Amino acid sequence: MSGGSSCSCCLTSNRPPPLSLFSAMIRAVSRRLFGPLLLLGFVQVALTRRFEVKAGNNTCLLAEFSANFSVSYETIDKKGATVLFSLPDDAKVNPSSNCNNMTAPLLVVSFGNDHSLSMNFSNHGASYKMESLTIACNESDGGLFPNASSPGLLVKTSSSVEISAKVNTTYSCMSDSTVHMENVNVTLSKVRIEAFPPNDDFSKNETICHADVTPTVPTTTLVPTLTPTTPPPSIPVRGKYNVTINNGTCLLAEMGLQLNVTYTTPDNKIAVKVFNIQPGMTISNGNCSSDRAFLQLIDQSTTLNFLFVVNTTTNKFYLKELNVSTSLNLSTKSKEFTAENTNLTYLQTTLGKSYLCLSKQMLKVNQNFSINAFELHVQPFKVDNAKYGTAEECQMDKDDMLIPIIVGAALAGLVLIVLIAYLIGRKRSHAGYQTI
Ligand SMILES: *[C@@H]1O[C@H](CO)[C@@H](O)[C@H](O)[C@H]1NC(C)=O
Ligand SMILES: *[C@@H]1O[C@H](CO)[C@@H](O)[C@H](O)[C@H]1NC(C)=O
Ligand SMILES: *[C@@H]1O[C@H](CO)[C@@H](O)[C@H](O)[C@H]1NC(C)=O
Ligand SMILES: *[C@@H]1O[C@H](CO)[C@@H](O)[C@H](O)[C@H]1NC(C)=O
Ligand SMILES: *[C@@H]1O[C@H](CO)[C@@H](O)[C@H](O)[C@H]1NC(C)=O
Ligand SMILES: *[C@@H]1O[C@H](CO)[C@@H](O)[C@H](O)[C@H]1NC(C)=O
């Protein structure tokens, strides 16, 4: 692609400059007549492109995707306009891309006349994640943004991009996913991304996005049937998972864990798999600082990550992030199941105390995944001498204790009522006998 040509004009603007007025006329006419056609043709040739970010010889990011953009902008005539375009062939990795010491890869893809699409990644121990996606459009580019009233850079960022995967797996999402940023929409599809690929190439193991795994439920007739797989297992054994760093225990945790996974079978049925974490076969890891504590549990093919944080305003800690990856042992597409929620507020407890819930508690992560926790006791911060602080008990435990009290009180009340009724009845009948 010849350098400097703008996105939508790639096919129309490669004309010699001397006939500029004439070519401008042709351009205007051809855009009006053939604009949609040219755009369509252009979209069809748009290929999935591969981008790589390196530090020395180490690759910190590999990305392959196609992207469509829809940008609405202000025009001189105040009517406003919307342009649609695909990531053009001249898209390339901008030198400002960076591995940031192999911790937070940044990919900047530039295209056309100073337009760019950037993706920021972060490393969360066992997983990596796209933190944000930024689009910068050069509205001075009259080829792409005709009659723009505010020439200059239009920059939009979104941090609600649901791209995350386990390390040493390729994030794969063939379905379209659109990131909305006010007047700009970016639709990504045929995405394959891996941060910190171990062999400078995509890992064979994949983390498949929800959109690819969950079937689009047909509106009529073919409602997927629920196939109960195995009978629910027994109550899980309580495990002890403490985190010790620098010879000091910084996180105390004891719990029985039962995982509840809803997934789609290869024949498009929805199945539920409920299984227990076996403490004897589980390896726990983690680390803690004064305001973040991380606990990882690995039981054979299942990895669970818990992130606890502190809200300094309320002086409470809570479980903010939970993610899981587990093998479903299926031969086809949904071999690896992953689920994540980074916006939880579970187990809120005053700093310095511990959270205790003896009752079964369901921690829902998303519609396809939940954890049933049994006899949960946890303290991720301010652990003194490897001992739990005062326990703050969950509402359910309090309710459980309330039930016998209520039942007792109700029974006592009933006895009292019966007694009073009996006494009144006796008095009445006595009175009755007297009148006879
Ligand atoms: C990169 O690899 C080349 C060839 O394998 C080697 O000569 C060079 O020293 C390496 N550079 C770094 C920074 O590791
Ligand atoms: C881009 O948009 C065109 C037209 O709407 C569509 O046919 C094409 O599949 C889209 N491509 C991507 C990568 O979303
Ligand atoms: C934007 O586009 C205009 C016109 O194509 C070009 O002159 C300018 O260098 C581009 N870059 C920026 C940062 O404005
Ligand atoms: C598992 O999750 C499904 C769907 O949320 C739910 O209907 C079912 O009752 C759960 N089973 C257990 C044992 O928690
Ligand atoms: C801390 O808690 C307060 C009160 O519930 C809430 O408004 C605030 O958003 C929380 N801050 C963080 C960082 O979660
Ligand atoms: C998956 O299959 C392997 C080998 O067939 C087996 O050892 C393992 O227990 C299975 N895992 C689950 C979760 O069913």
Side-chain angles (χ1 to χ4, degrees):
M1 189 55 53
S2 68
S5 63
S6 70
C7 308
S8 71
C9 294
C10 295
L11 300 177
T12 57
S13 68
N14 295 337
R15 288 164 205 285
L19 296 168
S20 58
L21 184 66
F22 180 64
S23 79
M25 276 169 63
I26 296 229
R27 243 200 268 183
V29 169
S30 68
R31 190 180 297 130
R32 193 159 295 170
L33 288 181
F34 307 121
L37 276 177
L38 288 172
L39 188 64
L40 240 163
F42 185 58
V43 163
Q44 277 166 354
V45 295
L47 296 169
T48 308
R49 304 289 318 276
R50 182 187 273 220
F51 306 100
E52 187 169 1
V53 184
K54 290 184 130 188
N57 288 345
N58 296 328
T59 301
C60 65
L61 190 78
L62 271 177
E64 233 177 55
F65 56 86
S66 34
N68 268 3
F69 304 86
S70 152
V71 181
S72 301
Y73 63 100
E74 298 288 321
T75 52
I76 297 163
D77 61 10
K78 302 238 183 296
K79 282 185 186 147
T82 299
V83 290
L84 304 170
F85 56 96
S86 296
L87 192 66
D89 290 347
D90 70 351
K92 57 180 183 298
V93 176
N94 188 285
S96 64
S97 300
N98 199 322
C99 282
N100 292 311
N101 294 325
M102 299 301 279
T103 54
L106 165 69
L107 168 66
V108 181
V109 171
S110 48
F111 55 93
N113 278 347
D114 287 330
H115 310 292
S116 71
L117 178 68
S118 319
M119 299 170 173
N120 268 80
F121 292 83
S122 65
N123 181 1
H124 289 253
S127 63
Y128 61 88
K129 180 179 175 203
M130 191 191 292
E131 288 292 336
S132 64
L133 181 131
T134 303
I135 169 109
C137 286
N138 175 10
E139 285 194 59
S140 310
D141 177 0
L144 190 54
F145 301 103
N147 305 325
S149 63
S150 54
L153 270 188
L154 167 78
V155 181
K156 285 283 143 78
T157 294
S158 171
S159 52
S160 49
V161 191
E162 297 203 340
I163 294 185
S164 65
K166 209 162 97 167
V167 290
N168 298 344
T169 68
T170 300
Y171 174 85
S172 167
C173 199
M174 295 301 116
S175 314
D176 288 3
S177 68
T178 302
V179 181
H180 302 276
M181 295 168 274
E182 289 172 60
N183 53 333
V184 182
N185 290 334
V186 178
T187 303
L188 297 175
S189 68
K190 303 189 191 66
V191 179
R192 270 157 56 86
I193 285 179
E194 184 167 4
F196 320 109
N199 302 313
D200 295 353
D201 198 358
F202 285 115
S203 295
K204 295 249 172 347
N205 289 339
E206 296 189 325
T207 297
I208 296 164
C209 66
H210 289 298
D212 285 2
V213 174
T214 317
T216 42
V217 180
T219 45
T220 52
T221 55
L222 272 170
V223 176
T225 46
L226 203 69
T227 51
T229 41
T230 43
S234 54
I235 289 177
V237 177
R238 196 183 195 203
K240 200 169 186 174
Y241 311 108
N242 294 350
V243 176
T244 301
I245 49 167
N246 306 329
N247 293 331
T249 301
C250 62
L251 182 149
L252 295 169
E254 272 173 280
M255 52 203 164
L257 295 172
Q258 185 173 78
L259 311 192
N260 184 343
V261 175
T262 305
Y263 64 98
T264 311
T265 61
D267 54 346
N268 266 358
K269 290 197 169 118
I270 291 177
V272 176
K273 181 178 167 184
V274 180
F275 61 101
N276 294 343
I277 293 289
Q278 300 150 278
M281 306 178 100
T282 301
I283 302 165
S284 66
N285 287 306
N287 59 51
C288 341
S289 69
S290 61
D291 59 355
R292 285 170 81 83
F294 174 68
L295 174 66
Q296 178 175 66
L297 304 181
I298 303 173
D299 175 8
Q300 291 167 302
S301 60
T302 303
T303 303
L304 271 173
N305 292 313
F306 302 82
L307 178 72
F308 295 89
V309 299
V310 172
N311 181 333
T312 45
T313 319
T314 56
N315 202 38
K316 287 186 173 198
F317 71 78
Y318 60 96
L319 175 61
K320 180 169 188 293
E321 298 188 8
L322 223 172
N323 71 52
V324 66
S325 70
T326 185
S327 149
L328 293 170
N329 263 11
L330 297 172
S331 48
T332 53
K333 53 183 179 181
S334 53
K335 244 188 286 184
E336 187 82 6
F337 173 91
T338 64
E340 179 179 46
N341 193 328
T342 58
N343 224 348
L344 304 170
T345 50
Y346 290 146
L347 323 183
Q348 294 211 37
T349 307
T350 307
L351 218 52
K353 296 187 176 175
S354 60
Y355 178 91
L356 178 66
C357 200
L358 299 172
S359 316
K360 172 183 171 186
Q361 187 182 17
M362 191 182 85
L363 305 173
K364 187 175 167 149
V365 173
N366 65 25
Q367 59 177 19
N368 294 325
F369 181 69
S370 60
I371 294 180
N372 295 321
F374 296 77
E375 297 183 82
L376 171 66
H377 198 182
V378 65
Q379 183 168 351
F381 300 102
K382 294 201 179 240
V383 173
D384 208 11
N385 259 329
K387 290 206 180 66
Y388 286 105
T390 319
E392 271 185 18
E393 208 151 354
C394 62
Q395 192 58 42
M396 268 171 298
D397 283 3
K398 293 178 192 162
D399 291 350
D400 277 359
M401 277 198 296
L402 220 60
I403 290 169
I405 295 171
I406 293 171
V407 170
L411 277 178
L414 205 67
V415 168
L416 208 70
I417 289 167
V418 169
L419 202 71
I420 290 169
Y422 171 75
L423 288 175
I424 291 175
R426 238 173 74 132
K427 213 172 172 189
R428 281 245 180 96
S429 56
H430 269 289
Y433 289 131
Q434 274 172 3
T435 49
I436 285 174

